Amino acid sequence: TVNAAVTPSVTIAAVPNGAICAGTSVTFTATPTNGGAAPTYQWFNGTTAISGATSSTYTSSALTNGNQISVRLTSNASCASTTPVPSNTITMTVN
């Protein structure tokens, strides 16, 4: 059996999105493509890994203006072509 190579990717979304007030709890959700049955995640604020943030969602109420949230997905899909892969970045506006 020959399996075709798959290219993993991941996008994130925030709820609520847009500008928030300081102290508002925001949940970020990763949506993987070709992640496999059990992909792994690492969330980042800028280039700094967020300790303990390794699930498909990340929630914080300590965000500040300009924080840049993203996630890196490591796929366990058979024949994944590149891994880990970065998501889009959400830049926070905190009033």
Side-chain angles (χ1 to χ4, degrees):
T1 301
V2 176
N3 293 324
V6 295
T7 302
S9 64
V10 62
T11 58
I12 62 171
V15 175
N17 61 6
I20 61 168
C21 292
T24 300
S25 181
V26 180
T27 298
F28 300 89
T29 302
T31 303
T33 301
N34 296 320
T40 59
Y41 302 90
Q42 177 60 63
W43 290 89
F44 288 82
N45 185 345
T47 59
T48 303
I50 301 168
S51 179
T54 58
S55 69
S56 62
T57 61
Y58 167 65
T59 301
S60 178
S61 58
L63 298 166
T64 59
N65 195 50
N67 282 165
Q68 296 183 326
I69 306 301
S70 64
V71 71
R72 287 193 190 134
L73 164 81
T74 300
S75 172
N76 73 336
S78 179
C79 294
S81 59
T82 57
T83 190
V85 294
S87 71
N88 55 306
T89 299
I90 297 177
T91 302
M92 298 305 301
T93 301
V94 179
N95 296 321

